[in-house]
Amino acid sequence: MAGGDLRVPDQDLVAKAQRSDAEAFGELYERHRERVYRIAYRFVHNKADALDLCQEVFVRAYQSLPNFQRKAKFTTWLTRIANNACVDFCRLAKLRRAGELDEEGVKEDLRRPGVRPSPKPSEGLEREEIREAVDAAIEELSPDHRAVFVLHSVEGLTYEEIATTVGCPIGTVMSRLHYARKHLQGILSWVKQDENDEAVSE
Amino acid sequence: MKPCPSDTQLGAFLDGELPEAEAAAIEAHVATCERCAAEVAAYARLDKLVATAPVPEVADDEWAAAWSTIAARIAPEPAQTSTLWSRLGRLRTALVPAAAAALIALAAGVWALHSGRVLVPVQAVVEEIEPAEGYTANCFYSAEADVTIITVLPTDGQEEAWDDNGQGPL
Amino acid sequence: MARALSRAVLLLMAPCWVYAAGFGGDAAKKVAALGVEIEVVVIKASGRGLKPDFDGRISAELRKKLAGCHLAYGKYALVDVQHKSARYKRKVICILPGKEALAIICTPHTSRTHPVRVATQVIDGAGKIIQRAQVLLPYNKAFLIHRPKGASAVIMGITAYKHPSKMPGR
């Protein structure tokens, strides 16, 4: 998002949406849907689920509009709703899978170290392979760890911001982040990335 | 040689979350300690990897489809055609006495239980309704909407003004 | 030998502890087990009409339930949404417009399909209890209390959630 926005500020759109202006809310959707989708995708690693979650987030946002105090930042508020929706989804998914132990067992195998795609020695990894590797690695984290890690690395939030979004003390943020990093480091250490890679954006 | 800081501290250093003095101290340490330098570099690589990992592209029509679902969920719905219940108009007092209604609800609830794996919606079971003197209460289960609604109103249908000075919704 | 073995066992277990501790939320889960999360949605219904006009902020679920009752109101406006954490057997009071109130007491019920008993009291502006009702419910499922007042009405959608994460809009 370029600095120096000449468009109507978010706060004004929110004010209109709070007065049931559907168009204003639609505009907010267009502005923020990619970001919400990106958070959701890094969480659930499934495009269809991520789109569903994105949809759920905006519906919840619309329903919670009366509770939004316009002094706060809209993006922060929306991120919190997105985080909660993602964590809820993961917990539900876990509960669902808990009743299907065999399927869970099979799924786990696919993510065990032995089954990773082998890196091509001379070239860097294809983008798809990187995505799969990152997806599989994050999948191994619990919803709480995933939340902290995704908010940190995808959204670039500070510890303080993560703590308020997730609703836990900063110490917990730090220890969860530390755990996530240690865990992912081990799994992803074999992924060789070109050091000069620029940020990839769609 | 100074002991190495904890990995959590190294992480906080990388993330720019440490106060100046501490950050300077760790920076000095990392300059001389291979192990810690490697650790910090590893965290940086990991962050960059995850931040730049691609997400699947979403086509315009997929965004539009998502929006139409959102719009459907937040937009008002048209009502259905009226039934006997609404044709009663002002006479919303009980047609079905409370006790009988409770029994019916109970029976329906039991039936749902006996259906084995409950595929039918589980209804609320109204155990008791007790209006005060001068009031009438009844309950009604709408199968269409899968909801139990308990109504209470003054028996003689006396007008009770809505006492909110037109305050209404938030 | 034994000491070395037990130490080895401890070392092996260590990652499990870190992992378990990392899940956090265990304390929160214990608190949740002692009670319920109650949501009361307060709606003002007014006017007459076959195709009611719903406030866009009322959830689609609740809109469907209201529409399915065919109460013949023309307009449903959202007045308030109250969330209360309640321990079992403790009374929770929701203040309604016009100094009225709704008192709720939840107790667990030993039934697979109806695990919670919700006792309600509708209290008018003068502090008089005008109705008691007791309902057995599944979690996450709303029932309605409808209080006509003259030409309009207050409708309350009451839902018991077992865990805050299941509650909408949080």
Side-chain angles (χ1 to χ4, degrees):
Chain A
M1 203 131 284
D5 237 332
L6 289 174
R7 304 173 301 178
V8 176
D10 278 348
Q11 308 297 78
D12 291 357
L13 286 177
V14 173
K16 283 196 192 163
Q18 279 174 326
R19 294 191 291 268
S20 302
D21 182 343
E23 246 190 77
F25 190 70
E27 175 70 28
L28 284 169
Y29 168 72
E30 296 214 3
R31 286 190 192 179
H32 298 277
R33 65 190 187 193
E34 286 270 2
R35 203 172 57 83
V36 172
Y37 168 70
R38 188 178 294 262
I39 297 176
Y41 183 80
R42 273 284 96 79
F43 234 98
V44 300
H45 317 122
N46 179 311
K47 180 175 169 183
D49 286 343
L51 279 172
D52 276 350
L53 266 172
C54 190
Q55 190 203 105
E56 175 71 25
V57 168
F58 280 96
V59 170
R60 286 192 191 183
Y62 187 79
Q63 289 168 344
S64 303
L65 273 177
N67 303 333
F68 176 66
Q69 290 134 346
R70 274 174 279 130
K71 295 182 240 107
K73 251 185 100 184
F74 179 72
T75 42
T76 316
W77 183 72
L78 191 63
T79 304
R80 184 177 313 159
I81 296 181
N83 181 69
N84 290 342
C86 290
V87 172
D88 284 354
F89 179 88
C90 290
R91 292 219 175 102
L92 266 178
K94 267 208 158 136
L95 286 173
R96 258 185 271 126
R97 283 206 302 269
E100 301 155 5
L101 281 173
D102 289 331
E103 208 193 301
E104 171 74 27
V106 171
K107 272 191 179 165
E108 284 287 359
D109 283 338
L110 291 177
R111 295 195 168 96
R112 279 290 144 247
V115 200
R116 290 186 191 130
S118 42
K120 305 187 185 82
S122 44
E123 309 144 28
L125 286 175
E126 300 296 337
R127 286 178 51 187
E128 276 306 299
E129 289 170 312
I130 293 183
R131 182 183 57 73
E132 274 174 29
V134 170
D135 286 353
I138 296 184
E139 181 72 26
E140 299 199 10
L141 296 174
S142 78
D144 289 328
H145 289 101
R146 230 181 274 193
V148 170
F149 188 73
V150 167
L151 289 173
H152 163 77
S153 49
V154 174
E155 282 290 291
L157 299 185
T158 63
Y159 292 176
E160 176 84 44
E161 288 170 332
I162 298 177
T164 32
T165 302
V166 169
C168 70
I170 290 197
T172 311
V173 172
M174 288 177 70
S175 62
R176 284 185 189 166
L177 185 58
H178 172 247
Y179 175 83
R181 274 173 155 160
K182 277 296 188 196
H183 197 83
L184 293 176
Q185 218 188 330
I187 303 173
L188 291 173
S189 57
W190 61 275
V191 176
K192 303 242 179 320
Q193 220 187 351
D194 192 350
E195 291 298 319
N196 298 325
D197 254 346
E198 285 307 311
V200 183
S201 50
E202 276 60 49
Chain B
M1 176 148 151
K2 259 193 248 168
C4 295
S6 74
D7 286 344
T8 313
Q9 277 183 299
L10 289 175
F13 164 69
L14 175 68
D15 298 335
E17 296 275 348
L18 291 177
E20 259 198 65
E22 276 187 59
I26 294 197
E27 195 173 345
H29 175 93
V30 168
T32 58
C33 174
E34 259 193 54
R35 187 231 154 233
C36 290
E39 193 76 12
V40 172
Y43 289 162
R45 255 203 317 274
L46 177 66
D47 279 355
K48 188 171 168 209
L49 177 62
V50 175
T52 58
V55 293
E57 276 216 36
V58 180
D60 278 342
D61 56 306
E62 288 173 298
W63 284 128
W67 173 251
S68 59
T69 320
I70 294 172
R73 285 177 70 182
I74 65 184
E77 291 170 7
Q80 318 298 317
T81 51
S82 65
T83 63
L84 172 67
W85 190 249
S86 58
R87 269 185 259 132
L88 289 176
R90 299 211 69 76
L91 294 170
R92 289 197 196 90
T93 48
L95 266 188
V96 181
L103 265 176
I104 293 172
L106 188 68
V110 170
W111 173 68
L113 268 171
H114 282 193
S115 301
R117 194 164 160 79
V118 181
L119 295 165
V120 297
V122 175
Q123 247 187 68
V125 172
V126 181
E127 288 193 312
E128 62 177 71
I129 303 184
E130 200 193 303
E133 245 193 68
Y135 284 85
T136 309
N138 59 63
C139 76
F140 168 66
Y141 174 74
S142 158
E144 176 193 343
D146 186 33
V147 69
T148 299
I149 175 166
I150 298 175
T151 303
V152 55
L153 71 170
T155 312
D156 53 5
Q158 204 171 44
E159 293 286 316
E160 268 185 75
W162 171 264
D163 178 27
D164 72 337
N165 306 322
Q167 219 183 347
L170 292 164
Chain C
M1 175 70 171
R3 198 177 287 172
L5 255 179
S6 56
R7 223 171 263 164
V9 169
L10 272 171
L11 270 172
L12 277 172
M13 296 272 288
C16 299
W17 292 340
V18 173
Y19 201 67
F23 271 103
D26 280 336
K29 281 185 195 141
K30 283 212 186 91
V31 171
L34 297 171
V36 290
E37 302 290 319
I38 299 175
E39 181 189 61
V40 177
V41 181
V42 184
I43 289 169
K44 175 186 171 184
S46 53
R48 305 286 303 281
L50 284 180
K51 285 182 194 269
D53 174 25
F54 286 94
D55 186 328
R57 298 166 305 168
I58 301 176
S59 73
E61 230 180 25
L62 197 53
R63 254 181 267 138
K64 239 199 284 179
K65 292 188 189 233
L66 289 169
C69 290
H70 302 300
L71 298 171
Y73 292 111
K75 179 168 166 191
Y76 293 89
L78 180 70
V79 172
D80 195 11
V81 176
Q82 298 187 30
H83 289 145
K84 309 245 173 186
S85 289
R87 296 198 152 205
Y88 288 123
K89 302 191 184 140
R90 301 274 175 85
K91 186 187 277 193
V92 154
I93 311 259
C94 298
I95 307 287
L96 305 172
K99 294 197 207 143
E100 301 195 337
L102 177 70
I104 299 178
I105 300 179
C106 296
T107 47
H109 180 62
T110 54
S111 154
R112 194 174 46 86
T113 49
H114 296 77
V116 63
R117 169 180 284 118
V118 178
T120 61
Q121 294 170 351
V122 179
I123 302 165
D124 72 4
K128 178 177 135 198
I129 299 177
I130 61 174
Q131 190 230 41
R132 280 174 236 266
Q134 199 164 285
V135 180
L136 293 178
L137 285 179
Y139 286 113
N140 315 336
K141 189 163 182 145
F143 75 98
L144 307 173
I145 295 188
H146 167 218
R147 172 143 155 73
K149 292 162 78 63
S152 45
V154 181
I155 302 180
M156 294 161 268
I158 300 161
T159 316
Y161 293 91
K162 193 61 192 96
H163 198 275
S165 65
K166 301 250 182 306
M167 205 184 272
R170 264 194 167 209

